[in-house]
């Protein structure tokens, strides 16, 4: 066993020889950020990787699903929060970084441990997929369902999604007003102005065969046809940007090779949560 240990140690020392220090590119500008629940962020460019490991009371799987205004982390070599640059003998997969025990392949060729100041900014935007540009600071809730219009995919609660009230097909529901009452259909509970709520008229039938579907036809008078409302749905989109100031990476093998940036743009990542 002792002989095996000595043999493996010799292999490690040979691999760590100064002459083997290799920085292939250190080019991550086109590499996307992957993550393991925000605790580990990493970028892969062929056989090189740049890894950020974060630790703190507020770091958990929900961290990238929260707004952050200049959240700062001190990255320290071999610390609980750090940055690491590694080169491998082959391109690693994303799964390599998200296992408690990393696989034996690919092999790490060289490693640089880093320090610096990481700043994270996360901006939240709301998208209810209704194609209408609405002010997120406006509390207006046209149909009184508890969802303000900017979070409501059926603003008037008539059972027709706002994006589907674009009658003229120009991708702008705000200029469609079937009954000419000054209220666009997507905010009008009686689109054709016949006194029967849109919710109670058919959105598929044309009972008088005049080429106009019932809920848009003021001449159609039929018993109400009640439809069920689809549960509301919208998306929370969190875009995080990562910048490392005074980034310095020192080779772990003990030579003088170092990589330094006054300011390094690590990139951005977008997380989407669908509600409900």
């Amino acid at each position: 066993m002792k002989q095996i240990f000595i043999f493996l140690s010799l292999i490690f020392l040979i691999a760590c020889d100064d002459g083997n220090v290799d920085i292939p590119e250190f080019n991550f500008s086109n590499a996307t950020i992957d993550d393991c629940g925000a605790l580990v962020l990493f970028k892969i460019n062929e056989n090189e990787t740049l890894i950020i490991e974060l630790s703190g009371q507020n770091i958990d799987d929900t961290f990238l699903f929260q707004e952050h205004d200049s959240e700062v982390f001190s990255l320290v070599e071999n610390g609980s929060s750090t940055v690491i640059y590694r080169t491998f003998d082959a391109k690693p997969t994303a799964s390599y970084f998200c296992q408690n025990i990393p696989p034996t392949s690919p092999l790490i060729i060289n490693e640089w441990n880093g320090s610096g100041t990481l700043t994270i900014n996360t901006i939240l935007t709301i998208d209810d997929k209704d194609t209408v540009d609405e002010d997120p600071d406006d509390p207006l809730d046209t149909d009184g369902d508890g969802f303000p219009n900017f979070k409501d995919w059926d603003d008037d609660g008539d059972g027709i999604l706002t994006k589907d009230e674009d009658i003229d097909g120009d991708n702008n529901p705000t200029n469609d007003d079937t009954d000419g009452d000054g209220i666009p259909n997507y905010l009008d509970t009686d689109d054709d102005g016949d006194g029967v709520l849109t919710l109670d008229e058919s959105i598929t039938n044309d009972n008088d065969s005049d080429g106009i579907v019932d809920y848009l036809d003021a001449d159609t008078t039929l018993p109400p046809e009640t439809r069920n409302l689809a549960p509301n749905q919208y998306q929370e989109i969190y875009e995080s940007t990562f910048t490392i100031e005074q980034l310095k990476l020192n080779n772990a093998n003990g030579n003088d090779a170092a990589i330094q940036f006054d300011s390094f743009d690590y990139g951005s990542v977008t997380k989407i949560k669908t509600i409900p």
Side-chain angles (χ1 to χ4, degrees):
M1 177 64 72
K2 183 177 181 180
Q3 290 177 332
I4 294 175
F5 174 78
I6 294 173
F7 176 71
L8 292 175
S9 298
L10 287 172
I11 292 177
F12 178 78
L13 288 172
I14 292 171
C16 293
D17 184 85
D18 288 359
N20 285 337
V21 175
D22 180 28
I23 307 175
E25 292 186 43
F26 199 82
N27 181 8
F28 297 94
S29 57
N30 294 323
T32 59
I33 298 175
D34 287 310
D35 67 89
C36 304
L39 298 174
V40 178
L41 307 168
F42 58 93
K43 303 183 82 170
I44 301 173
N45 176 33
E46 295 303 327
N47 69 325
E48 59 177 351
T49 65
L50 189 59
I51 311 151
I52 295 176
E53 296 182 359
L54 298 178
S55 178
Q57 292 183 344
N58 62 339
I59 298 295
D60 56 27
D61 288 343
T62 68
F63 181 78
L64 295 179
F65 290 93
Q66 303 170 25
E67 290 185 273
H68 300 285
D69 183 13
S70 297
E71 187 93 13
V72 176
F73 292 85
S74 179
L75 305 178
V76 180
E77 286 189 46
N78 302 312
S80 57
S81 293
T82 191
V83 56
I84 302 168
Y85 171 54
R86 286 176 181 162
T87 60
F88 294 82
D89 64 351
K91 182 177 181 178
T93 62
S95 62
Y96 177 94
F97 302 94
C98 298
Q99 302 182 45
N100 291 330
I101 302 177
T104 57
S105 178
L107 294 175
I108 298 173
I109 302 301
N110 275 296
E111 178 173 294
W112 284 257
N113 296 316
S115 60
T117 301
L118 171 67
T119 301
I120 302 176
N121 287 286
T122 305
I123 298 174
L124 167 64
T125 57
I126 302 295
D127 186 3
D128 57 4
K129 299 293 185 180
D130 67 1
T131 72
V132 178
D133 186 14
E134 294 156 313
D135 184 356
D137 293 324
D138 187 348
L140 178 63
D141 178 11
T142 298
D143 56 7
D145 63 354
F147 295 97
N149 288 1
F150 75 93
K151 289 184 176 181
D152 197 338
W153 66 355
D154 177 10
D155 292 324
D156 57 3
D158 63 0
I160 304 173
L161 298 184
T162 293
K163 68 181 181 63
D164 295 330
E165 302 220 49
D166 175 32
I167 308 304
D168 59 12
D170 66 352
N171 295 317
N172 181 15
T174 66
N175 61 11
D176 298 271
D177 180 12
T178 298
D179 57 8
D181 64 354
I183 304 173
N185 289 4
Y186 83 98
L187 297 176
D188 196 340
T189 57
D190 180 8
D191 292 338
D192 57 7
D194 63 358
V196 180
L197 294 178
T198 297
L199 182 62
D200 296 331
E201 294 192 276
S202 175
I203 60 174
T204 57
N205 294 334
D206 174 17
N207 280 283
D208 60 2
S209 301
D210 63 353
I212 304 174
V213 70
D214 290 353
Y215 85 98
L216 296 176
D217 192 348
D219 295 330
T220 302
T221 54
L222 294 168
E225 178 185 289
T226 302
R227 300 186 306 279
N228 293 324
L229 293 175
N232 188 57
Q233 189 177 97
Y234 63 93
Q235 290 183 333
E236 292 181 347
I237 303 171
Y238 297 85
E239 184 173 5
S240 299
T241 57
F242 306 85
T243 305
I244 306 176
E245 303 293 338
Q246 302 302 314
L247 172 62
K248 183 177 181 181
L249 295 155
N250 293 312
N251 190 268
N253 295 331
N255 58 63
D256 295 329
I259 305 168
Q260 298 185 65
F261 291 87
D262 290 337
S263 180
F264 183 79
D265 179 10
Y266 190 71
S268 63
V269 63
T270 299
K271 295 289 187 179
I272 299 176
K273 180 191 295 185
T274 299
I275 299 175

